[in-house]
Amino acid sequence: MKFKNIFLIALLFVFSNQCFALAIDDWEYKTITGNLKPTPGCKDKEKAAKKASSGHRFEKYTKLLCTQMAYGWSLEEVEDKGVLVCDACEGDFEGTEKYRCYMKDVVVKCKTVVKGF
């Protein structure tokens, strides 16, 4: 009786998780082009350009380009950082012009695990 219970528990343990079916090392890659969101608020041109083209904000929005494609897609690498575009903000800023900058035509390579058995 004990042997049957232990065998049944072992059998259920082995077949309870189907992750082994996707444990292959095949990746599907796709290259996409997109524009990143502009910087929030209106700032000096140098600050807005630096914030849009490098740092945490650039990494975050390049990852979002891939994750917006579909569930399971992630960023492999940034192939081309694109072109920096700065637009002047409208309004009264006490003699200095303020800008909002964004990266245009950023090319990223995305990856996901090949689906199926």
Side-chain angles (χ1 to χ4, degrees):
M1 182 70 179
K2 287 185 181 182
F3 180 73
K4 287 183 182 179
N5 289 341
I6 291 173
F7 182 72
L8 180 63
I9 291 172
L11 191 65
L12 289 174
F13 179 74
V14 169
F15 291 106
S16 65
N17 191 353
Q18 296 296 321
C19 287
F20 62 87
L22 290 177
I24 56 175
D25 197 22
D26 289 336
W27 295 93
E28 182 180 342
Y29 295 96
K30 193 179 284 189
T31 303
I32 61 170
T33 304
N35 298 334
L36 304 184
K37 287 187 175 184
T39 55
C42 295
K43 300 178 177 150
D44 294 332
K45 190 170 186 174
E46 295 82 27
K47 287 183 183 178
K50 183 179 178 185
K51 193 166 196 90
S53 64
S54 63
H56 174 72
R57 181 178 179 77
F58 182 80
E59 292 173 13
K60 176 183 173 182
Y61 286 108
T62 52
K63 288 178 186 176
L64 279 177
L65 281 177
C66 290
T67 57
Q68 288 174 350
M69 196 166 35
Y71 178 77
W73 286 91
S74 62
L75 177 68
E76 172 71 16
E77 66 177 331
V78 177
E79 292 183 351
D80 185 15
K81 289 185 81 168
V83 179
L84 179 69
V85 177
C86 292
D87 297 326
C89 295
E90 295 179 9
D92 189 20
F93 294 108
E94 302 171 8
T96 59
E97 273 197 89
K98 302 290 183 173
Y99 293 90
R100 295 181 75 187
C101 297
Y102 67 96
M103 298 301 290
K104 182 178 180 182
D105 297 332
V106 177
V107 179
V108 294
K109 184 176 182 180
C110 305
K111 69 177 181 177
T112 189
V113 174
V114 173
K115 305 290 191 273
F117 296 102

